[in-house]
């Protein structure tokens, strides 16, 4: 076992940039290198943070919860509360019911939640704990008071990803709390989906307010995970969706989900069980998808789209035309969650950018078809869509077929560095930049933000790399 | 089912629960329904993943690793930096039903062929531990096949917390790595030491190494920041083990003493007096008058220089009140650093501290009034800070935003810290950072508004 010389290391690295290696890499089935996804319970914890006084209660091994708290905390730069039932070997043998009971008791004493949102980790899924039975027995034995709702969802990490966990938890909460009544209100429900950009939720609220549309955002963590600093730490921040509103949300006129893939189950539940008009629109990124969203709202509520918003659209289009020459023909590698990627692809195509690689770890065939249809629509034959691939695949892709920019979560920074291209942070998680999640990339404001980030980055690079002769005031 | 980790790992003479109760129970397991810390996998991965020329493969569902890789700031200088890659067998539903040992083997063989590492660590997680996969067998088979050490790490999360994971990792090193190779004779000097439990967060190891070599002490192996497999393999040739993270890896030091006769001392490199003491104790361990003389001289001159450098900060910080809430060794070692800066520690967290750690706290506690805080849930912490009128909280990332929301100045001293605080240069960084934090005008802006 001789030490590798610098030369050998360089050769290995060079080889990893070759077509031959890329082929081998794409045959890789047994090992994931540099994953770009999170697991179900993390989505469940995020979803729970959008409800009033709710404690995310994760049934299973305790280490998982520490990870979720860390990750969400680093992304939002906010305190995150979540508890675990902390199963040990004993739990593996005898089941986790005793831990569940003790967990309810301790958590009520310590944190006094108004609701438990129960999800599971792999461990309890493997040993086959029955959440329904645990909740019922806890109620019967007095560990869980009748007036504290405890919706539960099965969220194993070995199936799906964080977007499914979000969906399962949300469906469970609505299913448990929702009470159908005769009267139907005029309000519409908005479901953000697994979207960790609080600016997006606020932007949508702003537009609906301008349209004078009465609305309810379900699982609204735009305040709880972006809370004002006033010198007092609260375990449960104000501004989340109240339990009362959640109970009545099934009697609102309709539901619009802003993401398709992270709300499938929830939308089906509202449509089938509660007979509500419920549908998912394409995430409103870029002009076209934003238009579609606003028209959907207009159609459901019968409200006109006011001039104010039309002017906003005009300004966004203006910003695009001012800056399109910097993006037109540039190649992008984008990665992250399916709904965000669909929207981002649409925006880039509108600007004349080429989404050369669209890589999604947790996307399915339907997602692939969506993006491919978009590429076709704009006559972009260079775009390639990859599902179920990781960041090491992305590395191979950008090393063999170069791009001008990466757009996606923080984990991609190592690929960007290796490839020597800029990396715009977008999506989840973002650990290494501040405030990105406070700026919307949805709707017309989002178009301006995206354009600003991408184009200015390109211009900065020109400035940083040009010699004196080409260093000019005008760009 | 391979549920249990080694019985021996629960036997820790320095832990109070071993002393008080006769039953061997893992270090405090988490309480259901309260907020939690990391698990055994987290602890094991932290200890081993800085080994930079080995591959670290987590055998489990995608997210045991997906949530955690690349999230510590262990730095490394060298050609091979495989710790940058997160690798996992990513168990899915089918694997669960049909077993995934084959998948794991194939995955490791693929990665070894591509990356050409010097060793592989396989980390076990809850799921394969429950379904009874034999990673020990996989490791044995692959060790022969690939001709490099393939080390099984039994770090399933339900076994216990971070500390237990640290121990499991130490045990894996002891069983499979240490003593498997002899060092080249020309790298040995008269005074060879190992550091145990130094992970080179933000390059802290480089500062310690510099201080050591100034004194003519040779750092033979560092376990594990910036380490190579080879260096850990021949670490049994050192004359002294210096444990810098007492709780986590004292187990390993004890095992090395039993087997190789290497004495060990527990030291801290946080703060001026601690660093001085550590240097002196190391020199004294070698019982070499010349070395002791040299170290004493160095200490004298270093102390003068550093005292002068921290003077401006110390002037401002004297008498300021600190609440320290961090793990194990830092619960006492940082007290000394803060005392060097003239600050007053009013309470320190002992959730992850041993009896030994607690005794050390008492050593540094001149007036005997440092509160030992056992339960640092956010609500408790904030209450204590308000009650005791602390000026600043020194803790880890999970409490950062809790503090900031309450308008309490905060400095991160855990693994996500953005500065190196060890050794001589480190104390200057620490003074400067606390000074900056306490002087930040931003808190006043809000206080006035309220």
């Amino acid at each position: 076992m001789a030490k590798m010389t610098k030369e050998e290391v360089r050769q290995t690295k060079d080889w990893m940039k070759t077509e031959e290696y890329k082929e081998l890499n794409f045959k890789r089935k047994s090992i994931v290198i540099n994953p770009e996804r999170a697991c179900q319970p993390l989505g469940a914890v995020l979803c729970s943070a959008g409800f009033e006084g709710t404690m995310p209660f994760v049934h299973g091994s305790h280490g998982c919860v520490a990870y979720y708290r860390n990750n969400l905390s680093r992304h939002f730069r906010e305190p995150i509360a979540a508890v675990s039932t902390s199963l040990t070997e004993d739990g593996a043998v005898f089941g986790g019911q005793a831990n569940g009971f003790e967990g309810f008791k301790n958590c009520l004493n310590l944190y006094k939640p108004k609701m438990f949102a129960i999800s599971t980790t792999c461990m309890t899924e493997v040993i086959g704990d029955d959440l329904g039975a645990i909740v019922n027995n806890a109620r019967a034995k007095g560990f869980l008071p009748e007036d504290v709702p405890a919706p539960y969802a099965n969220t194993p990490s070995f199936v799906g990803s964080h977007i499914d966990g979000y969906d399962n938890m949300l469906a469970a909460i609505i299913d448990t709390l929702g009470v159908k009544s005769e009267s139907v209100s005029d309000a519409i429900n908005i479901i953000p989906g697994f979207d960790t950009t609080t600016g997006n939720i606020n932007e949508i609220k702003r537009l609906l307010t301008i349209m004078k549309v009465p609305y309810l955002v379900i699982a609204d963590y735009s305040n709880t995970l972006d809370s004002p600093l006033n010198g007092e730490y609260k375990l449960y921040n104000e501004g989340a969706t109240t339990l009362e509103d959640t109970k009545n949300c099934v009697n609102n006129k309709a539901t619009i989900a802003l993401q398709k893939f992270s709300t499938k189950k929830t939308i089906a539940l509202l449509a089938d069980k509660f007979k509500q008009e419920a549908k998912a629109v394409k995430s409103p990124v870029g002009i076209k998808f934003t238009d579609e969203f606003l028209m959907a709202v207009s159609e459901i509520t019968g409200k006109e789209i006011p001039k104010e918003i039309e002017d906003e659209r005009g300004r966004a289009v203006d910003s695009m035309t001012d800056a399109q020459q910097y993006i037109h023909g540039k190649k992008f590698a984008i990665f992250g969650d399916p709904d965000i990627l669909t929207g981002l692809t649409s925006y880039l195509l509108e600007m004349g950018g080429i989404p050369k690689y669209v890589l999604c770890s947790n996307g399915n065939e339907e997602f692939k078809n969506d993006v491919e249809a978009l590429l076709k629509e704009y006559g972009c034959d260079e775009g390639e869509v990859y599902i179920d691939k990781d960041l090491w695949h992305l590395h191979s892709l950008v090393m063999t077929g170069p791009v001008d920019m990466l757009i996606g979560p923080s984990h991609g920074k190592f690929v960007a560095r290796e490839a020597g291209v800029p990396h715009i942070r977008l999506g989840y998680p973002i650990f290494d930049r501040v405030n990105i999640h406070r700026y919307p990339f949805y709707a017309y404001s989002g178009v301006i933000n995206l354009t600003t980030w991408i184009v200015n980055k390109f211009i900065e690079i020109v400035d940083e790399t040009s010699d004196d002769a080409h260093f000019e005031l005008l760009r | 089912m391979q549920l249990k980790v080694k019985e021996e790992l629960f036997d820790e003479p320095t832990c109070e629960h071993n002393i008080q109760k006769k039953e061997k129970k893992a270090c405090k397991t988490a309480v259901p329904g309260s907020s939690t810390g990391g698990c055994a996998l987290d602890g094991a991965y932290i200890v081993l993943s800085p080994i930079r020329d080995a591959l670290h493969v987590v055998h489990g569902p995608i997210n045991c690793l997906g949530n955690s890789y690349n999230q510590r700031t262990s730095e490394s200088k060298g050609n091979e930096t495989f710790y940058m890659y997160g690798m996992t067998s990513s168990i899915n539903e089918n694997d669960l039903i049909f077993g995934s040992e084959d998948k794991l083997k194939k995955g490791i063989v693929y990665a070894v062929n591509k990356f050409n590492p010097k060793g592989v660590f396989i980390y076990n997680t809850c799921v394969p531990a429950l379904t009874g996969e034999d990673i020990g067998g996989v490791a044995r088979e692959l060790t022969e096949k690939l001709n490099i050490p393939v080390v099984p790490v039994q770090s399933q999360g339900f076994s216990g917390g971070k500390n237990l994971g640290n121990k499991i990792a130490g045990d894996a090193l002891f069983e499979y790595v240490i003593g498997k190779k002899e060092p080249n004779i020309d790298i040995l000097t008269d005074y060879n030491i190992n550091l145990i439990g130094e992970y080179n967060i933000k390059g802290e190891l480089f500062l310690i190494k510099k201080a050591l070599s100034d004194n003519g002490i040779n750092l033979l192996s560092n376990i594990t920041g910036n380490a190579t497999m080879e260096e850990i393999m021949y670490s049994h040739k050192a004359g002294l083990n210096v444990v810098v993270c007492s709780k986590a890896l004292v187990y390993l030091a004890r095992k090395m003493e039993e087997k190789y006769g290497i004495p060990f001392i527990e030291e801290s490199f946080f703060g001026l007096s601690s660093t001085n003491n550590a240097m002196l104790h190391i020199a004294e361990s070698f019982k070499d008058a010349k070395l002791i003389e040299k170290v004493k001289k160095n200490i004298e001159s270093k102390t003068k220089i550093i005292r002068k450098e921290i003077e401006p900060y110390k002037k401002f910080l004297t008498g300021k009140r600190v609440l320290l809430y961090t793990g194990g060794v830092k619960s006492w070692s940082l007290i000394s650093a803060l005392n060097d800066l003239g600050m007053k520690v009013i309470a320190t967290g002992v959730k992850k501290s041993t009896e030994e750690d607690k005794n050390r706290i008492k050593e540094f506690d001149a007036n005997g009034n440092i509160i030992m805080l056992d339960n640092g849930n956010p609500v408790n912490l904030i209450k204590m800070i308000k009650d005791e009128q602390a000026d600043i909280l020194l803790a880890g990332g999970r409490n950062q935003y809790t503090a900031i929301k309450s308008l309490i100045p905060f400095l991160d001293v855990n693994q996500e810290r953005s500065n190196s605080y060890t050794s001589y240069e480190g104390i200057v960084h620490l003074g400067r950072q606390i000074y900056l934090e306490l002087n930040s005008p931003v808190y006043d802006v809000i206080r006035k508004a309220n």
Side-chain angles (χ1 to χ4, degrees):
Chain A
M1 260 182 26
K3 246 188 147 47
M4 260 171 119
T5 60
K6 276 202 165 121
E7 180 53 26
E8 280 171 328
V9 171
R10 200 185 56 77
Q11 281 172 358
T12 309
K13 279 196 165 161
D14 283 350
W15 177 64
M16 283 180 177
K17 296 170 188 173
T18 59
E19 281 290 341
E20 179 195 3
Y21 181 78
K22 181 179 131 182
E23 262 170 53
L24 283 171
N25 192 1
F26 271 78
K27 281 187 191 146
R28 168 168 58 95
K29 287 276 180 290
S30 312
I31 188 166
V32 172
I33 302 178
N34 296 351
E36 181 47 76
R37 63 199 294 183
C39 62
Q40 285 212 47
L42 185 134
V45 169
L46 179 75
C47 170
S48 316
F51 291 95
E52 171 198 18
T54 298
M55 180 56 82
F57 189 87
V58 188
H59 185 45
S61 319
H62 74 278
C64 307
V65 176
Y67 285 142
Y68 313 142
R69 286 179 63 218
N70 264 350
N71 277 10
L72 290 164
S73 194
R74 282 179 195 154
H75 173 89
F76 289 105
R77 298 181 190 244
E78 293 275 328
I80 305 280
V83 302
S84 158
T85 52
S86 310
L87 261 66
T88 56
E89 290 100 336
D90 297 1
V93 180
F94 304 115
Q97 176 157 291
N99 288 59
F101 291 173
E102 201 185 332
F104 289 134
K105 193 179 74 186
N106 290 337
C107 188
L108 283 163
N109 279 339
L110 280 169
Y111 309 121
K112 302 176 181 55
K114 288 185 181 170
M115 172 162 91
F116 286 108
I118 306 168
S119 51
T120 55
T121 71
C122 299
M123 180 179 182
T124 35
E125 289 296 325
V126 172
I127 63 175
D129 259 11
D130 180 350
L131 289 176
I134 291 175
V135 169
N136 288 337
N137 296 342
R139 291 220 194 274
K141 288 193 160 49
F143 291 105
L144 189 57
E146 287 299 332
D147 60 351
V148 180
Y152 53 87
N154 294 89
T155 51
S157 173
F158 45 80
V159 183
S161 73
H162 51 282
I163 58 176
D164 304 289
Y166 174 96
D167 195 13
N168 288 333
M169 193 74 245
L170 187 57
I173 290 172
I174 294 174
D175 198 10
T176 307
L177 295 182
V179 178
K180 195 78 181 158
S181 75
E182 290 305 303
S183 59
V184 173
S185 94
D186 280 343
I188 57 167
N189 298 321
I190 297 288
I191 298 178
F194 189 98
D195 180 5
T196 52
T197 308
T198 50
N200 282 346
I201 302 177
N202 290 328
E203 178 64 14
I204 298 299
K205 287 180 181 173
R206 190 182 65 84
L207 289 172
L208 294 173
T209 307
I210 294 171
M211 284 177 79
K212 300 197 172 58
V213 170
Y215 65 87
L216 169 72
V217 177
I218 304 181
D220 183 358
Y221 41 75
S222 64
N223 291 319
T224 47
L225 298 182
D226 189 4
S227 61
L229 180 68
N230 52 17
E232 193 191 347
Y233 163 72
K234 288 201 202 70
L235 196 58
Y236 308 106
N237 285 311
E238 291 143 24
T241 312
T242 64
L243 301 190
E244 190 56 31
D245 282 346
T246 314
K247 185 176 135 189
N248 291 321
C249 75
V250 294
N251 305 312
N252 288 343
K253 192 171 176 177
T255 295
I256 298 178
L258 302 172
Q259 288 191 352
K260 179 163 88 172
F261 296 100
S262 64
T263 59
K264 273 205 159 10
K265 211 170 165 175
T266 309
I267 291 293
L269 173 89
L270 288 167
D272 301 345
K273 184 176 170 179
F274 294 105
K275 304 290 177 249
Q276 193 180 50
E277 185 187 347
K279 68 170 186 183
V281 292
K282 296 249 169 50
S283 296
V285 187
I287 297 290
K288 181 176 154 210
F289 287 174
T290 305
D291 290 351
E292 284 176 11
F293 162 71
L294 290 169
M295 288 191 296
V297 173
S298 178
E299 198 179 319
I300 288 170
T301 58
K303 303 258 185 193
E304 295 276 301
I305 298 173
K307 181 171 180 311
E308 198 178 332
I309 294 181
E310 275 180 26
D311 286 350
E312 274 188 33
R313 181 183 193 275
R315 273 191 286 273
V317 173
D318 188 48
S319 84
M320 288 166 82
T321 41
D322 289 345
Q324 57 78 29
Q325 70 272 28
Y326 299 100
I327 294 188
H328 193 176
K330 287 270 198 295
K331 292 174 182 166
F332 295 84
I334 60 179
F335 52 100
D337 288 338
D339 293 288
I340 292 174
L341 287 180
T342 314
L344 191 58
T345 305
S346 177
Y347 161 81
L348 288 173
L349 289 166
E350 283 170 355
M351 288 293 278
I354 300 163
K356 192 163 163 54
Y357 308 119
V358 182
L359 184 132
C360 185
S361 290
N362 49 353
N364 53 14
E365 285 297 329
E366 189 187 349
F367 158 78
K368 197 172 171 181
N369 294 338
D370 283 359
V371 178
E372 279 171 351
L374 268 175
L375 293 166
K376 207 167 158 181
E377 186 185 331
Y378 285 86
C380 175
D381 44 18
E382 271 191 85
E384 300 164 23
V385 190
Y386 295 94
I387 52 175
D388 213 13
K389 295 281 176 268
D390 56 41
L391 294 177
W392 192 240
H393 292 116
L394 185 74
H395 176 269
S396 268
L397 290 170
V398 301
M399 284 305 173
T400 50
V403 292
D404 298 296
M405 182 181 273
L406 260 63
I407 305 178
S410 289
H411 283 119
K413 73 191 288 184
F414 299 95
V415 178
R417 184 183 169 99
E418 189 102 1
V421 295
H423 171 205
I424 298 287
R425 272 77 176 163
L426 198 78
Y428 180 81
I430 299 172
F431 294 145
D432 59 344
R433 293 290 183 271
V434 296
N435 287 345
I436 304 279
H437 68 281
R438 290 188 166 111
Y439 286 84
F441 58 86
Y442 274 8
Y444 304 126
S445 309
V447 167
I448 295 176
N449 285 336
L450 284 171
T451 309
T452 308
W453 295 332
I454 295 170
V455 171
N456 282 347
K457 189 77 207 180
F458 281 137
I459 296 175
E460 274 163 25
I461 290 170
V462 171
D463 268 351
E464 282 162 12
T465 54
S466 57
D467 57 16
D468 287 352
H470 295 95
F471 187 74
E472 291 155 7
L473 178 63
L474 301 181
R475 287 290 182 206
Chain B
M1 278 205 295
Q2 198 167 8
L3 279 179
K4 280 275 183 219
V5 294
K6 265 181 162 163
E7 206 44 58
E8 194 188 350
L9 289 169
F10 296 130
D11 188 8
E12 188 52 69
T14 57
C15 277
E16 63 177 316
H17 50 76
N18 266 163
I19 299 165
Q20 285 169 355
K21 294 182 212 150
K22 283 289 163 271
E23 56 177 305
K24 289 173 184 172
K25 220 171 149 36
C27 300
K28 264 183 226 129
T29 39
V31 181
S34 71
S35 56
T36 59
C39 61
L41 169 72
D42 195 18
Y45 200 76
I46 284 166
V47 170
L48 299 173
S49 62
I51 300 174
R52 60 190 167 84
D53 59 357
L55 295 184
H56 302 275
V57 183
V58 174
H59 185 41
I62 182 93
N63 242 53
C64 295
L65 172 88
N67 278 326
S68 59
Y69 77 107
N70 258 340
Q71 289 195 15
R72 288 177 74 87
T73 46
S74 290
E75 288 184 6
S76 153
K77 283 181 182 161
N79 295 336
E80 297 127 318
T81 50
F82 298 140
Y83 69 91
M84 303 300 268
Y85 302 98
M87 301 189 181
T88 174
S89 54
S90 184
I91 292 177
N92 57 31
E93 239 172 337
N94 272 349
D95 301 331
L96 192 69
I97 296 159
F98 300 110
S100 48
E101 285 174 20
D102 269 354
K103 185 181 185 182
L104 176 68
K105 276 181 222 165
K106 276 188 198 140
I108 291 173
V109 170
Y110 172 91
V112 167
N113 286 337
K114 298 294 162 286
F115 289 88
N116 200 0
K118 300 286 186 293
V120 179
F121 289 91
I122 309 174
Y123 300 80
N124 208 0
T125 63
C126 296
V127 172
L130 287 168
T131 53
E133 306 233 316
D134 180 14
I135 67 163
V138 172
R140 264 195 307 277
E141 190 180 320
L142 290 178
T143 302
E144 274 177 33
K145 186 173 169 179
L146 300 168
N147 221 349
I148 52 171
V150 178
V151 181
V153 185
Q154 299 292 0
S155 54
Q156 49 273 23
F158 55 72
S159 300
K162 229 178 195 165
N163 282 323
L164 182 71
N166 294 156
K167 273 167 134 180
I168 291 168
D171 188 53
L173 287 177
F174 181 75
E175 289 280 321
Y176 295 92
V177 187
I178 294 169
K180 301 283 185 254
K181 210 173 167 182
E182 295 301 313
N184 205 333
I185 205 79
D186 39 344
I187 60 166
L188 293 173
T189 67
D190 293 346
Y191 319 113
N192 304 302
I193 67 161
N194 300 325
L195 288 179
I196 296 187
E198 166 56 51
Y199 307 126
N200 201 19
I201 306 281
K202 288 287 175 229
E204 287 179 343
L205 168 72
F206 304 139
L207 299 179
I208 298 173
K209 207 170 170 169
K210 184 166 161 269
L212 288 169
S213 64
D214 285 349
N215 289 318
I217 298 161
N218 175 30
L219 179 58
L220 182 68
S221 311
N222 182 48
I223 301 174
T224 58
N226 195 37
T228 57
M229 281 300 274
E230 190 182 34
E231 134 183 10
I232 294 176
M233 284 172 162
Y234 60 60
S235 60
H236 62 294
K237 279 291 183 247
L240 175 71
N241 272 328
V242 181
V243 184
V244 293
C245 189
S246 58
K247 175 131 192 179
L249 287 175
V250 74
Y251 172 85
L252 174 61
R254 231 191 12 257
K255 296 286 274 194
M256 284 175 83
E257 185 172 41
E258 281 165 24
K259 188 167 175 182
Y260 303 109
I262 307 171
F264 71 91
I265 52 174
E266 291 179 46
E267 297 297 334
S268 148
F269 289 92
F270 286 111
L272 181 59
S273 33
S274 288
T275 307
N276 285 342
N277 285 336
M279 292 298 164
L280 198 58
H281 294 160
I282 292 169
E284 284 166 353
S285 304
F286 284 105
K287 299 189 178 63
D288 181 324
K290 234 173 41 194
L291 180 68
I292 296 174
E293 190 60 28
K294 185 177 177 177
V295 168
K296 278 185 172 162
K297 248 206 196 108
N298 262 337
I299 286 177
E300 211 173 314
S301 65
K302 268 282 180 201
T303 306
K304 269 200 194 109
I305 297 168
I306 299 295
R307 283 236 165 100
K308 211 170 151 173
E309 280 189 42
I310 59 176
E311 195 47 45
Y313 306 128
K314 193 173 169 174
K315 223 184 264 171
F316 174 82
L317 296 175
T318 299
K320 290 277 188 295
R321 299 163 70 82
V322 192
L323 196 149
L324 185 58
Y325 192 75
T326 170
V329 71
K330 290 197 288 297
S331 61
W332 55 265
S333 61
L334 273 171
I335 297 179
S336 135
L338 294 162
N339 288 346
D340 289 337
L341 292 165
M343 300 183 79
K344 202 169 149 33
V345 177
I346 48 171
T348 181
V350 292
K351 196 174 179 175
K352 297 185 215 161
S353 304
T354 52
E355 279 307 288
E356 186 124 350
D357 286 334
K358 288 178 187 170
N359 291 335
R360 293 257 178 147
I361 293 170
K362 286 172 194 149
E363 268 173 54
F364 288 109
D365 187 3
N367 314 324
N369 46 14
I370 294 183
I371 303 163
M372 297 204 190
L373 194 56
D374 201 12
N375 184 356
N377 74 47
V379 181
N380 272 359
L381 270 185
I382 300 299
K383 190 174 173 307
M384 173 148 284
I385 290 166
K386 298 263 149 123
D387 290 351
E388 299 291 330
Q389 294 164 344
D391 294 296
I392 188 165
L393 170 70
L394 265 57
R398 265 194 295 259
N399 292 312
Q400 175 170 5
Y401 301 105
T402 312
I404 289 172
K405 287 285 177 212
S406 316
L407 287 183
I408 295 157
F410 170 91
L411 186 68
D412 196 329
V413 291
N414 271 17
Q415 64 270 20
E416 297 119 19
R417 54 187 176 258
S418 39
N419 279 281
S420 40
Y421 297 137
T422 52
S423 190
Y424 294 113
E425 292 85 348
I427 183 72
V428 182
H429 297 167
L430 184 68
R432 183 181 153 76
Q433 288 305 321
I434 298 180
Y435 171 84
L436 286 174
E437 183 62 24
L438 280 174
N439 267 310
S440 169
V442 78
Y443 296 105
D444 286 345
V445 170
I446 307 156
R447 285 196 187 110
K448 281 188 188 113
N450 287 339

